[in-house]
Amino acid sequence: MTTAAAYAISAPDGRFAKTTIERRELGAHDVLIDIKYAGICHSDIHTARDEWHGTTYPCVPGHEIAGIVAAVGSAVTKHRVGDRVGVGCMVDSCGECEPCLAGEQQYCNRGATMTYNTRVPEEFQPGGVTYGGYSTQVVVTENFVLSIPEGIPLEQAAPLLCAGITLYSPLRHWNAGPGKQVAIIGMGGLGHVGVKIAAAMGAEVTVLSSSLSKQEDGLRFGARHYYATKDRQTFKDLRGRFDLILNTVSAELPIDDYMKLLNLDGTLVILGLPDNKLSVAPFTLANYRRSLAGSMIGGIPQTQEMLNFCAQHNIGAEIELISADRIDEAYERANASDVRYRFVIDAATM
Ligand code: NAP
Ligand code: ZN
């Protein structure tokens, strides 16, 4: 077994503290990764604060992992020592059900093993629950380890493993591209990479942000239009405008108001996951034959496709690199939308 340094939280209102965890013995198909960077996703905050009511403590979050292969098991063929690699939200799945066979492991019928906070046998992760990327090392089966192309600096690649794929997948599924009007609600970690990816796909991108404070950045990332949603006039001006709206907001929104911005056959996709119910009037849906949908990260093959796409289009996340002892502060600032645009932990500081 390998002993790794980690930062864990022990209660919903607790603070992060340095600790050590064990990683399992390297199996034939396993890859040992020296973690270099870990992004802080808002899902980490929801989980650490138990906002989804299912957190096992102590909890080591982190599912935006970038690092270097330190060792490989005897049967590993996909990765070699020294390779630049990433790990996203999942570290295993059944591999046999219809979604798994279709490469959509996030919808595994038996439930994918998430990178942290999934109960697992002791031999999978000593402690009986998965521990994520706020750590110096991790052991992952090779099929769930992604290759990070040379073009993307590792610290900018880390957030792509969750934020990148979460936006790339619905943009592909709903055919974002030339001639399509795409709106992205929320210019946070997810939203800002969504703007870059949608623009690179050729769509006409509009950002719907609370205020205009990040407008300059949004236009620089490739958006053509930028609106403040605290201004009610925005909802009048944009009525019936969009083919696709991606909602990345981590808090409750008046979703009916946003549905009315969809054009004929338009779809609003829920990506942000606050713990509230949605309310949409039947007339809003029926009119223009609108759809309300949702999407969860993306499968392993599509995650590799996304990384290759980002390298080809020079896309990385905009990051603020922090030392591990500043995780609590980063959570507070992310909750206040005070981040441009992703906090990334430098694992060398653990
Ligand atoms: P983030 O970096 O904190 O960004 C969230 C953005 O939402 C903020 O930048 C802000 O945008 C907006 N926002 C926050 N509070 C708001 C409020 N009260 N009213 C209006 N707008 C508000 O978070 P993230 O990491 O991008 O994650 C966003 C959400 O996606 C989280 O709920 C997370 O759990 C979820 N998520 C889902 C998936 C999936 O697979 N579906 C994957 C990853 C994350 P503006 O400043 O532009 O208004
Ligand atoms: Zn995430």
Side-chain angles (χ1 to χ4, degrees), residues 41 43 63 162:
C41 174
S43 300
H63 58 208
C162 173

Side-chain angles (χ1 to χ4, degrees), residues 9-248:
I9 187 162
S10 296
D13 57 354
R15 294 179 68 79
F16 278 89
K18 189 171 174 167
T19 183
T20 56
I21 55 174
E22 300 296 324
R23 296 299 193 179
R24 69 171 180 260
E25 204 81 57
L26 210 60
H29 292 282
D30 283 340
V31 177
L32 174 67
I33 300 166
D34 280 339
I35 298 173
K36 299 296 179 193
Y37 302 102
I40 294 181
C41 174
H42 209 109
S43 300
D44 300 354
I45 304 177
H46 290 312
T47 306
R49 302 275 176 247
D50 201 20
E51 290 167 3
W52 290 335
H53 319 291
T55 305
T56 302
Y57 295 96
C59 174
V60 178
H63 58 208
E64 295 187 335
I65 301 170
I68 303 287
V69 174
V72 295
S74 57
V76 169
T77 58
K78 293 197 169 86
H79 305 283
R80 285 187 300 196
V81 172
D83 282 359
R84 294 152 42 90
V85 292
V87 177
C89 299
M90 303 177 281
V91 287
D92 209 356
S93 72
C94 85
E96 293 165 355
C97 68
E98 211 172 296
C100 281
L101 292 173
E104 303 267 26
Q105 294 86 351
Q106 74 279 27
Y107 304 123
C108 174
N109 288 340
R110 283 181 228 163
T113 304
M114 308 314 280
T115 305
Y116 62 85
N117 198 44
T118 295
R119 292 209 178 263
V120 289
E122 283 283 336
E123 52 278 18
F124 190 92
Q125 170 62 58
V129 62
T130 51
Y131 295 133
Y134 296 6
S135 174
T136 50
Q137 290 188 307
V138 65
V139 174
V140 180
T141 189
E142 64 171 331
N143 288 343
F144 284 76
V145 177
L146 288 307
S147 299
I148 296 179
E150 281 300 329
I152 319 174
L154 279 186
E155 63 275 28
Q156 294 177 22
L160 299 178
L161 275 303
C162 173
I165 184 60
T166 299
L167 275 288
Y168 184 89
S169 187
L171 286 166
R172 276 275 182 257
H173 187 81
W174 278 280
N175 300 312
K180 288 288 174 73
Q181 293 285 341
V182 173
I184 294 181
I185 316 174
M187 258 274 286
L190 263 58
H192 92 284
V193 283
V195 171
K196 291 186 178 193
I197 292 172
M201 288 176 176
E204 186 168 327
V205 181
T206 300
V207 175
L208 303 175
S209 183
S210 313
S211 74
L212 295 180
S213 65
K214 297 179 264 191
Q215 181 173 26
E216 224 172 87
D217 289 345
L219 299 179
R220 185 162 51 85
F221 299 156
R224 288 270 289 280
H225 319 279
Y226 203 105
Y227 288 86
T229 53
K230 68 178 181 197
D231 180 355
R232 288 305 302 172
Q233 187 63 33
T234 291
F235 292 90
K236 294 187 183 121
D237 291 349
L238 298 179
R239 217 179 161 95
R241 169 78 66 95
F242 301 106
D243 301 301
L244 179 64
I245 302 178
L246 304 182
N247 173 24
T248 73

